[in-house]
Amino acid sequence: MAIEATEPSTALIQNDIVLFGLIAGTLGLIFWLSSGPTPFWKKFFTWVPALLLCYFIPAFYNTVGLIDGANNSLYNPVASRVLLPAALVLLTLSVDLKGILKLGPKLLFVFCAGTLGIVLGAIVSFQLMEWIHPQAVAGDTWKGMAALSGSWIGGGANMVAIREVYAVDATLFGQFAVVDVAVASAWMATLLFLANRAPQIDARSGADTRALDEMKERIAAFEAANARIPTLSDLMVIIGLAFGIVGLAHAVATPLAAWFGANVANAAQFSLDSSFVWVVVLSTLAGLGLSFTRARRLESAGASKLGTVFLYFLIACIGMQMDFMKLASRPELLAIGVIWMLVHILVIWAAAKLVKAPLFYFAVGSQGNIGAAASAPVVAAAFHPSLAPVGVLLGTVGYATGTVIAYGLGQVLRLMAGQ
């Protein structure tokens, strides 16, 4: 989620249109180089995935003061409120829902283990820091951790909901928001790096990838049988459909969220009073609905590829919010976040190993919690563009459960803090 700016920006580039051009140009350069124009770059990108650079180069711009990643309109509303739901429509348009269901209960088991890992990670990190450096978890730190757990189980909307429930101080909330961006983005970058080596990792671990391979083969066969050179009409229909649904979703989401907030007692606990959650849900449902119609044929004209372009822009906009220097005021909070994430990784890795799940289950099960619908489809698409809807579905589950679980975890942390 974006971090609110508390001081006037001193960035060199403050014009959002110039910033848009810089990010777009950076992405274009990264992917041109990844196509291997010279032997050096061809070898370079066999080790460093292009997606990784889409994170770290914008983060570098932000850290050195070239841009202000927190104080601009690119992430919110352009990337998160417009391009993300448009990508969800286009990526779910061609979803093989039956194929996803055939992936079986292993995926859900690994996802639930990821949620358990977040809960245990909070408790373990709090207790360890209380032993090692008690000042780190003194006072209202538990409130910030509760808010962060909302983000890592669900998403930004859940984090804000928990902030309101526990009245988290604005400064403390901002510090944990930095931890959120830094640790979660570093973990996501790691998953994107591992995705490039999934076949080798699965082969060494003896993972059962049959269901996943069958789904990829079906999608590849469908694309080969229906692929065509897109016409101008195709592209205009794809754009019109995607952004038309996004506009409709926003038009419906605002009054719908307001109605739930006013008439449903526990709406906030399930983030049902958040218009953004409804935009994500409605866009996803619209895409899934279209997958059962003739609109699915737009996939052969490159619908999912255009959706993936939107996701890459979102990746860059998330990356440009990272500024590790801001953690200097309370570096112990970063230590809490790192310990917390390591416990999550250990738990979900053990669960994946127990059922011999492929790396994809491990990655999307983790990111379905940590990143929810905003970034879970990005990680899923790194394995195969057609798998992005799996990340969307898991991320939506995270949105629905994040606030309730985070609230309960907050009560546990409050007891541990002696309050």
Side-chain angles (χ1 to χ4, degrees), residues 152-245:
W152 283 1
I153 296 172
N158 305 87
M159 186 177 188
V160 173
I162 294 298
R163 175 191 181 181
E164 296 301 319
V165 170
Y166 285 123
V168 183
D169 175 75
T171 301
L172 181 64
F173 182 82
Q175 289 169 332
F176 271 101
V178 176
V179 174
D180 181 11
V181 172
V183 177
S185 296
W187 174 233
M188 183 175 175
T190 303
L191 291 176
L192 294 174
F193 179 81
L194 294 175
N196 209 36
R197 290 156 179 75
Q200 299 93 317
I201 294 173
D202 287 337
R204 285 199 299 269
S205 66
D208 183 2
T209 63
R210 288 173 295 178
L212 199 57
D213 292 339
E214 288 173 5
M215 183 178 178
K216 290 180 183 178
E217 289 172 5
R218 281 197 307 274
I219 292 167
F222 176 82
E223 290 177 349
N226 295 278
R228 67 178 190 271
I229 297 175
T231 64
L232 177 60
S233 296
D234 289 328
L235 295 175
M236 291 304 293
V237 169
I238 292 172
I239 291 292
L241 194 64
F243 290 117
I245 289 175

Side-chain angles (χ1 to χ4, degrees), residues 14-287:
Q14 299 193 29
N15 185 309
D16 286 355
I17 298 175
V18 176
L19 177 57
F20 178 89
L22 175 64
I23 296 300
T26 299
L27 292 175
L29 179 61
I30 290 171
F31 280 93
W32 177 71
L33 293 175
S34 70
S35 66
T38 66
F40 169 79
W41 289 113
K42 188 174 183 179
K43 187 173 182 180
F44 177 85
F45 281 97
T46 59
W47 291 99
V48 181
L51 282 170
L52 206 61
L53 297 183
C54 292
Y55 262 111
F56 286 141
I57 292 180
F60 173 76
Y61 293 159
N62 186 46
T63 302
V64 300
L66 179 62
I67 66 174
D68 183 350
N71 189 26
N72 64 77
S73 59
L74 259 67
Y75 177 76
N76 183 10
V78 176
S80 64
R81 267 55 178 177
V82 179
L83 297 185
L84 171 60
L88 297 181
V89 172
L90 296 179
L91 291 169
T92 54
L93 183 75
S94 59
V95 65
D96 181 4
L97 194 56
K98 292 181 179 178
I100 291 176
L101 295 175
K102 287 182 180 179
L103 292 176
K106 287 184 181 180
L107 178 59
L108 186 59
F109 173 74
V110 173
F111 172 76
C112 291
T115 304
L116 176 63
I118 295 298
V119 173
L120 292 178
I123 296 171
V124 170
S125 60
F126 188 97
Q127 188 61 62
L128 281 178
M129 292 305 290
E130 193 170 44
W131 290 336
I132 299 170
H133 184 46
Q135 191 61 33
V137 292
D140 289 339
T141 300
W142 68 270
K143 293 184 178 181
M145 293 181 67
L148 180 56
S149 71
S151 178
W152 283 1
I153 296 172
N158 305 87
M159 186 177 188
V160 173
I162 294 298
R163 175 191 181 181
E164 296 301 319
V165 170
Y166 285 123
V168 183
D169 175 75
T171 301
L172 181 64
F173 182 82
Q175 289 169 332
F176 271 101
V178 176
V179 174
D180 181 11
V181 172
V183 177
S185 296
W187 174 233
M188 183 175 175
T190 303
L191 291 176
L192 294 174
F193 179 81
L194 294 175
N196 209 36
R197 290 156 179 75
Q200 299 93 317
I201 294 173
D202 287 337
R204 285 199 299 269
S205 66
D208 183 2
T209 63
R210 288 173 295 178
L212 199 57
D213 292 339
E214 288 173 5
M215 183 178 178
K216 290 180 183 178
E217 289 172 5
R218 281 197 307 274
I219 292 167
F222 176 82
E223 290 177 349
N226 295 278
R228 67 178 190 271
I229 297 175
T231 64
L232 177 60
S233 296
D234 289 328
L235 295 175
M236 291 304 293
V237 169
I238 292 172
I239 291 292
L241 194 64
F243 290 117
I245 289 175
V246 170
L248 182 61
H250 276 278
V252 174
T254 300
L256 191 61
W259 185 89
F260 270 91
N263 296 282
V264 179
N266 297 318
Q269 294 183 2
F270 294 92
S271 297
L272 297 178
D273 60 344
S274 167
S275 60
F276 177 64
V277 169
W278 282 110
V279 168
V280 169
V281 170
L282 293 172
S283 299
T284 303
L285 291 177

Side-chain angles (χ1 to χ4, degrees), residues 330-406:
R330 287 197 68 184
E332 67 272 16
L333 297 185
L334 179 60
I336 291 174
V338 171
I339 296 170
W340 192 341
M341 185 64 72
L342 288 175
V343 173
H344 161 75
I345 294 169
L346 181 62
V347 171
I348 197 170
W349 173 81
K353 191 171 182 61
L354 180 66
V355 296
K356 293 187 176 181
L359 180 65
F360 171 76
Y361 288 17
F362 167 82
V364 79
S366 174
Q367 204 61 30
N369 283 283
I370 301 297
S375 56
V378 175
V379 170
F383 287 82
H384 194 282
S386 62
L387 296 175
V390 181
V392 175
L393 294 174
L394 290 182
T396 304
V397 173
Y399 271 134
T401 61
T403 304
V404 174
I405 298 175

